[in-house]
Amino acid sequence: MDIKEYFARISYQGSHDKLDLETLTEIFQHHIRAVPFENLSIHCGESIKLDLAATYDKIVRKKRGGWCMENNNLLSWALKTLGYNVTLLGANVYFPEHDAYADDIDHLLLKVVLHDKSYLVDGGFGMAYQIWQPMELISGKDQPQTPGIFRFLEENGTWYLEKVKRKQCVPNHGDSALHNTDKEVCRRVYLFTLQPRDIEEFRARNQHLQTAPDSLFVTKSICSLQTTDGVRALVGWKLTEIKYNYKDNMDLVEIRILADEEMEKTLKEKFNITLDKKFVPTNTSRLSLF
């Protein structure tokens, strides 16, 4: 495992001599724009392993993406290699359809301490709730970013991340696609504590999420990648491309349904992914990812 090879993978050519917020942000943004959040292995008959060497080989050498336990584990290794003070944390993701958080930790994220300030760094959430900058761990403070306004709320040692959503313009789908964007001003994302975690604590959950019949990742094939001005995502056969804040505090959302024969080309052109095995798109869940 070589930090220079990792930098080449994320197209980062900047300095890494200083352990400061600017450098951390640059590396982080290069990562989320180069490495997709994806679960395609599940839908190609492959297993997702938490071994760091296997994750490195998959993401850096094979130019694949991964889900939170892969993306953030690799990002943690890179930041620690550079000398950053990094701690693994565990989160419980919010599911709006159930109006509830997951019962067990099902998301890996990072805490980075810089000059006595703590920041949340999460390069593995994907979709439209992916943060674009490290977030300072301060409760009740709006932290505006290009994707929207994020903020933490802390209560009795539990931290809650939420995002204030913009209105959406979906020109090729009419008003029906805007069914709840006006009602839902603020969206909860996940809750977490500052209890340090070890990657071994995620091993059982990693296995469960890729095998349980009711797992979101079993019922949906997902691939999303942040761009310089938005995010694109392929969920099942639906390709969604969002341009953030394109006018008047409104996001532009373009949606297209792909045919099976378009999948391979789309993964290559939109996400820079080439799969070794046959990919079977899946979308049998009603859960919304946007």
Side-chain angles (χ1 to χ4, degrees):
M1 292 167 55
D2 177 7
I3 193 67
K4 291 182 180 178
E5 191 177 23
Y6 168 76
F7 281 157
R9 167 69 178 92
I10 66 171
S11 301
Y12 181 71
Q13 298 175 331
S15 167
H16 53 85
D17 298 331
K18 293 181 180 179
L19 300 181
D20 56 19
L21 183 59
E22 181 180 357
T23 303
L24 173 63
T25 302
E26 280 286 312
I27 293 171
F28 176 67
Q29 290 184 341
H30 276 77
H31 183 105
I32 62 175
R33 290 172 185 164
V35 183
F37 173 87
E38 53 107 331
N39 70 338
L40 303 182
S41 291
I42 298 172
H43 304 281
C44 292
E46 302 170 343
S47 62
I48 297 174
K49 301 174 182 177
L50 284 195
D51 176 64
L52 184 56
T55 299
Y56 180 93
D57 185 60
K58 176 183 176 181
I59 293 178
V60 177
R61 297 204 170 110
K62 294 183 178 178
K63 294 181 169 54
R64 286 281 304 278
W67 59 14
C68 66
M69 291 170 244
E70 298 172 286
N71 261 304
N72 282 330
N73 197 24
L74 179 67
L75 185 57
S76 171
W77 164 80
L79 296 177
K80 286 178 179 177
T81 299
L82 295 173
Y84 286 93
N85 179 350
V86 183
T87 303
L88 301 185
L89 302 179
N92 304 54
V93 174
Y94 178 76
F95 292 95
E97 286 77 4
H98 306 307
D99 191 24
Y101 294 92
D103 293 333
D104 303 304
I105 59 169
D106 57 353
H107 182 61
L108 172 68
L109 58 157
L110 312 176
K111 182 185 78 171
V112 177
V113 178
L114 276 176
H115 311 302
D116 298 323
K117 289 185 178 181
S118 294
Y119 296 88
L120 181 91
V121 176
D122 184 356
F125 200 81
M127 309 302 286
Y129 297 96
Q130 172 65 57
I131 62 173
W132 277 21
Q133 297 161 240
M135 288 184 62
E136 189 174 358
L137 273 170
I138 296 179
S139 178
K141 177 185 177 182
D142 285 355
Q143 301 191 46
Q145 299 189 8
T146 301
I149 298 172
F150 292 92
R151 61 173 166 250
F152 294 122
L153 298 174
E154 186 269 338
E155 186 177 333
N156 300 321
T158 298
W159 291 77
Y160 299 85
L161 173 65
E162 56 186 31
K163 177 190 176 184
V164 179
K165 298 177 68 175
R166 296 190 189 97
K167 292 183 179 180
Q168 295 182 340
C169 173
V170 191
N172 57 345
H173 269 246
D175 293 337
S176 62
L178 303 176
H179 60 282
N180 65 358
T181 52
D182 288 330
K183 290 185 290 184
E184 186 183 45
V185 176
C186 188
R187 165 75 178 268
R188 287 172 276 186
V189 182
Y190 50 69
L191 65 80
F192 62 97
T193 71
L194 302 183
Q195 176 185 344
R197 303 285 183 175
D198 186 272
I199 192 64
E200 293 300 320
E201 296 179 66
F202 294 88
R203 205 166 288 279
R205 198 64 178 169
N206 179 70
Q207 184 64 22
H208 173 83
L209 289 174
Q210 60 185 304
T211 56
D214 61 344
S215 166
L216 171 70
F217 298 105
V218 172
T219 58
K220 287 182 182 289
S221 54
I222 301 166
C223 185
S224 82
L225 186 66
Q226 308 301 307
T227 66
T228 55
D229 61 1
V231 59
R232 59 177 65 115
L234 179 63
V235 180
W237 293 264
K238 180 188 287 187
L239 177 66
T240 303
E241 298 190 78
I242 298 178
K243 183 176 181 181
Y244 288 133
N245 203 20
Y246 87 113
K247 69 172 186 180
D248 302 329
N249 197 36
M250 184 177 289
D251 296 337
L252 178 66
V253 182
E254 297 182 286
I255 299 171
R256 191 162 68 88
I257 305 302
L258 305 182
D260 285 337
E261 55 269 22
E262 296 179 278
M263 286 292 177
E264 184 177 339
K265 181 181 179 184
T266 300
L267 285 172
K268 179 61 179 174
E269 292 181 353
K270 296 287 188 180
F271 304 95
N272 196 30
I273 283 182
T274 302
L275 298 171
D276 294 332
K277 298 183 179 180
K278 181 174 174 57
F279 168 51
V280 181
T282 307
N283 190 5
T284 60
S285 168
R286 288 178 170 270
L287 291 174
S288 172
L289 300 180
F290 288 97

